[in-house]
């Protein structure tokens, strides 16, 4: 009967707890003291704010973190996409038609 009870306990309790020597003793007293000691050593209070470094870190701290969150990065994205697309259009197409002479000759 004892074997059956130990077998049933071993399926419910992890092996280190379900050993035969720990079944009769105070289960996990040392381990509980270790856990309490670990949590006592942890710092208390709110975590300090991370220090952002570099250009992207400063941009993130300015526009995304805390109460400073805003829609300004969306405006920056729109302006950046416009500038890149206009630069590409100008260099690939518009600079060849500066004075419009090609279009005038094609229509006549």
């Amino acid at each position: 009967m004892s074997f059956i009870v130990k077998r049933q306990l071993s399926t419910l309790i992890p092996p280190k707890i379900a050993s035969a020597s720990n079944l009769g003793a105070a289960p996990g007293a040392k381990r509980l003291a270790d856990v309490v000691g670990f949590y006592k050593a942890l710092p208390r209070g709110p975590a300090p704010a991370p220090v952002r470094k570099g250009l992207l870190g400063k941009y993130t701290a300015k526009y995304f973190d805390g109460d400073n969150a805003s829609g300004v990065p969306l405006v920056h994205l729109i302006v950046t996409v416009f500038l890149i697309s206009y630069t590409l259009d100008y260099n690939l197409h518009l600079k060849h038609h500066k004075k419009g002479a090609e279009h005038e000759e094609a229509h006549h």
Side-chain angles (χ1 to χ4, degrees):
M1 184 71 174
S2 174
F3 176 73
I4 295 172
V5 172
K6 286 182 184 180
R7 178 77 176 162
Q8 289 174 342
L9 281 177
S10 69
T11 60
L12 296 175
I13 303 171
K16 289 183 180 179
I17 297 173
S19 65
S21 63
N22 285 340
L23 283 178
K30 166 111 174 66
R31 195 166 349 162
L32 185 59
D34 291 342
V35 170
V36 169
F38 171 76
Y39 280 105
K40 280 186 179 179
L42 290 177
R44 296 184 182 191
V51 177
R52 305 279 185 166
K53 295 181 180 178
L55 187 62
L56 184 61
K58 289 179 184 177
Y59 185 83
T60 302
K62 185 173 182 182
Y63 294 110
F64 289 99
D65 293 343
D67 296 333
N68 300 332
S70 68
V72 174
L74 185 60
V75 173
H76 291 167
L77 177 67
I78 291 169
V79 169
T80 302
V81 168
F82 172 76
L83 289 175
I84 290 172
S85 63
Y86 185 79
T87 302
L88 288 173
D89 279 345
Y90 181 79
N91 285 319
L92 297 176
H93 179 77
L94 297 176
K95 77 176 179 181
H96 301 294
H97 302 286
K98 279 186 179 175
K99 297 182 180 173
E102 292 84 6
H103 290 291
E104 290 177 11
E105 292 173 7
H107 293 296
H108 291 289

